[in-house]
Amino acid sequence: MAVLPVRKIAVAGVLSAIAIVLGVTRLGFIPWFSGASVTILQVPVIIGAVLEGPLVGFIIGLLFGLSSLLQAAIAPTGPVDVAFTNPLISVLPRLLIGPAAWYLYRLILGRKDPRQASPVRYSGALIAAGLGGSLTNTILVLSALGIFGFFPWSLIFTVAIGNGPAEAAVSAAITLVIVAAYTQIGNALGKSKLSKLEE
């Protein structure tokens, strides 16, 4: 049985902790004109997947989802939280954020080492990961809320249009800034922190 390298475990642990803190403290929810908050809780999942691969993204998404479920069950902050006691709403969609973000990142980057890619291509890959990971979360969570009858589809469509693009744009911007800065620091130290593409 393969064991994750210590670096991947550390990255998964740190980013999972950040996602949980953002949720528990509500710092991960930004007030938005639509009336619903724009969330950035998915960003640590996206960053983890980009830096260390889809499995790490999957693990962070799992812990993010479980923390969302537990918070909804133990310390709900509103009526909407009742829906998130269902693991098919709170956990399952979050498992796919990391893999989706990593796939889009690699799709744009190709088989190039990130250190050898042009700045434009590398930036495009990071933006695609941020957009794709965030939209995966938005679409799957809202769809699950509709499927299980917690909200009417008309309301879900309104929230998706009002919040989805904003969340995706914010996620893409944060992913680009943080990962680019992290990579530059790693390169300055003479050892890139990015995972190498497996042959």
Side-chain angles (χ1 to χ4, degrees), residues 170-187:
V170 172
S171 295
I174 295 175
T175 300
L176 175 62
V177 170
I178 291 180
V179 176
Y182 183 81
T183 304
Q184 288 182 356
I185 292 172
N187 288 340

Side-chain angles (χ1 to χ4, degrees), residues 22 41 75 104 122 125 134 177:
L22 288 174
L41 299 178
L104 290 169
Y122 183 49
S134 180
V177 170

Side-chain angles (χ1 to χ4, degrees), residues 92-163:
L92 182 60
R94 276 64 188 268
L95 298 178
L96 301 177
I97 297 172
W102 179 86
Y103 176 78
L104 290 169
Y105 169 71
R106 293 309 326 186
L107 181 66
I108 302 299
L109 199 61
R111 295 186 65 83
K112 290 182 176 293
D113 186 303
R115 293 167 295 182
Q116 298 173 342
S118 69
V120 172
R121 187 166 189 166
Y122 183 49
S123 297
L126 293 176
I127 290 171
L131 292 173
S134 180
L135 289 173
T136 297
N137 181 60
T138 299
I139 292 170
L140 294 182
V141 170
L142 290 180
S143 296
L145 289 171
I147 290 170
F148 288 100
F150 284 100
F151 297 105
W153 285 103
S154 57
L155 176 60
I156 289 172
F157 181 77
T158 300
V159 172
I161 296 300
N163 283 42

Side-chain angles (χ1 to χ4, degrees), residues 1-64:
M1 182 177 178
V3 178
L4 282 176
V6 173
R7 182 188 64 196
K8 291 183 182 290
I9 295 174
V11 170
V14 169
L15 290 175
S16 296
I18 291 173
I20 292 169
V21 169
L22 288 174
V24 171
T25 62
R26 312 299 291 178
L27 292 174
F29 298 92
I30 303 171
W32 190 241
F33 71 88
S34 66
S37 298
V38 169
T39 179
I40 58 171
L41 299 178
Q42 69 278 0
V43 173
V45 183
I46 296 167
I47 292 175
V50 168
L51 290 177
E52 298 296 344
L55 179 57
V56 169
F58 180 90
I59 292 171
I60 300 171
L62 172 63
L63 295 175
F64 163 36

Side-chain angles (χ1 to χ4, degrees), residues 66-77 81-82 84-86:
L66 290 174
S67 71
S68 178
L69 185 153
L70 290 173
Q71 185 178 356
I74 298 172
T77 58
D81 283 350
V82 174
F84 288 86
T85 58
N86 183 337

